[in-house]
Amino acid sequence: MSEAQTVRLSYEDGARAVELARESVESYVLHGQREQPGSMREAFYNRTGAFVRLQSIRGRGRLRGCAGAYRGKDQLGHAIVDAAIKAASGDSCGSEVEPPELPNLNVSVCVVCNYVLTNDPLSDLELGVHGVAIDNGGQHGWLYPTIPVENGWSKEEYLTRVCRKARLSPFAWQDDDTMVTLFEGQVFRERPDGGSVQQL
């Protein structure tokens, strides 16, 4: 049983997390520089994991990048910056985000509140609450807590999709040597209409 330090962000903290991710993506894409979190809100000194997801708002809204980790050794502010840069780089979805894309990106941040290693993912998993991370033999994959709800997936399909993302057999989540970690996270994202940040 392994759990993270429990972290809960206020709406204002979540809005700043999204703003910081956006600033980090823009600084990296436009200038090749790493944004510094600057004077951080108190919650951003917690050491926890974070993910940043970049989605195009054009056409079918394809994923442009997603990066992060559910375990955090760094302070949250730095974890968000690092995840944002990696999400915008070619390492994430195969091609780097280009400057003309920036106005058409929707930025979201998932801040990990806690995580737990499970021996019974089908029973323990709550759709819409848990993100899933799968590890087996050096192969690793994970998906955001909101993804199965957005796509109407069952628990089995969600677990199968994470296995595929990790380049494992679709049913690797059932194997004894596969580590399945469930993580709870608060998800904040820019509103598609350009309004204020929303908490999902």
Side-chain angles (χ1 to χ4, degrees):
M1 205 80 152
S2 172
E3 293 195 5
Q5 166 186 3
T6 300
V7 176
R8 289 279 170 198
L9 264 59
S10 66
Y11 171 80
E12 290 74 20
D13 289 334
R16 175 56 190 143
V18 172
E19 185 180 44
L20 177 59
R22 162 70 71 177
E23 290 166 358
S24 301
V25 168
E26 291 180 349
S27 179
Y28 173 74
V29 171
L30 295 174
H31 310 293
Q33 294 177 345
R34 184 187 190 281
E35 180 77 8
Q36 294 302 321
S39 178
M40 295 195 294
R41 302 178 73 89
E42 191 175 330
F44 287 27
Y45 289 102
N46 288 305
R47 295 184 188 276
T48 191
F51 300 92
V52 173
R53 187 177 179 213
L54 309 175
Q55 202 152 9
S56 172
I57 55 175
R58 289 198 155 173
R60 294 184 178 179
R62 76 184 175 108
L63 185 68
R64 284 301 287 118
C66 200
Y70 64 87
R71 278 186 295 234
K73 293 176 187 163
D74 292 329
Q75 292 172 338
L76 176 58
H78 293 284
I80 291 169
V81 171
D82 292 342
I85 290 172
K86 194 164 183 191
S89 76
D91 295 339
S92 180
C93 282
S95 64
E96 195 154 302
V97 171
E98 300 290 337
E101 294 181 78
L102 291 172
N104 299 307
L105 283 184
N106 180 274
V107 178
S108 70
V109 175
C110 175
V111 175
V112 177
C113 304
N114 57 62
Y115 61 86
V116 63
L117 196 61
T118 175
N119 293 321
D120 189 357
L122 214 51
S123 171
D124 295 339
L125 173 60
E126 286 184 64
L127 293 177
V129 173
H130 292 123
V132 175
I134 299 250
D135 294 275
N136 184 317
Q139 299 290 98
H140 176 74
W142 54 266
L143 284 172
Y144 247 47
T146 53
I147 302 278
V149 177
E150 290 169 11
N151 292 284
W153 296 342
S154 66
K155 290 183 181 184
E156 290 89 343
E157 186 167 6
Y158 186 24
L159 291 162
T160 295
R161 297 270 186 161
V162 182
C163 289
R164 284 189 177 143
K165 191 174 178 192
R167 299 195 175 117
L168 294 167
S169 142
F171 302 104
W173 58 272
Q174 297 175 342
D175 297 344
D176 289 341
D177 54 351
T178 299
M179 284 175 53
V180 181
T181 304
L182 306 179
F183 61 88
E184 278 186 66
Q186 289 176 277
V187 179
F188 300 87
R189 78 170 175 203
E190 295 172 334
R191 290 184 187 275
D193 59 8
S196 59
V197 168
Q198 62 185 147
Q199 182 172 1
L200 301 183

